[in-house]
Amino acid sequence: MRGECDFIKPAVTAEDRHTLSGSVFVTVKGAGHSISGEQPGRYTALLRAFLLDEPLPTGTG
């Protein structure tokens, strides 16, 4: 999960994704580095779907 306006460069996130095989990359539109504080509803929905092994909610980014 990465905020669209995150200060961490996309290349770093891409490296993390490569390291974690089978991972899914989600960009949350309109969020910065603190997705949980800036967009708690989207953050919670994504986290919940991940933990319950459910499809990711639509409109997440």
Side-chain angles (χ1 to χ4, degrees), residues 43-57:
Y43 176 82
T44 301
L46 286 165
L47 185 60
R48 179 181 171 86
F50 171 75
L51 292 173
L52 297 176
D53 197 25
E54 297 175 349
L56 295 176

Side-chain angles (χ1 to χ4, degrees), residues 2 7-9 17 21 30 32-33 37 45-46 49-51 56-57 61:
R2 178 183 190 282
F7 63 86
I8 296 177
K9 297 181 188 228
R17 183 174 181 219
S21 64
H33 187 72
L46 286 165
F50 171 75
L51 292 173
L56 295 176

Side-chain angles (χ1 to χ4, degrees), residues 15-16 24 33 52:
E15 184 178 320
D16 290 343
V24 176
H33 187 72
L52 297 176

